[in-house]
Amino acid sequence: MPRCWQGNRTNDFACAPTLASFDPSTISQRESTMPWIRIDLSEGRTVEQKQKTAEAVTRALVEHCGCTPETVSIVFNDVSDDNWAFGGKLLSQRGKP
């Protein structure tokens, strides 16, 4: 399966399975303005860590933005060290000449 969130931004909606089945007519105008959250992480987080993060982010949005939990959409993107760079150097190449 292609990693759509790292590619062409115009393909995000079409590629993401959670968004492909999204029916915008099922939510109110107010709720439709709620943000969709994308969290980029280095690979290695557990499902439990992501679940707790999703719960905490959802609670914060409900509290501070006045939305319902059902309208909060979060995508976790696990990025390998070969696809993440700081200061012009891939994380996978740290410590190499």
Side-chain angles (χ1 to χ4, degrees), residues 72-84:
V72 177
S73 177
I74 302 170
V75 174
F76 290 95
N77 185 31
D78 293 320
V79 182
S80 73
D81 286 353
D82 287 335
N83 293 318
W84 201 315

Side-chain angles (χ1 to χ4, degrees), residues 34-37 54 57-58 61-62 67-74:
M34 287 295 105
W36 289 356
I37 307 301
V57 169
T58 299
L61 288 170
V62 168
C67 60
T68 62
E70 297 77 23
T71 62
V72 177
S73 177
I74 302 170

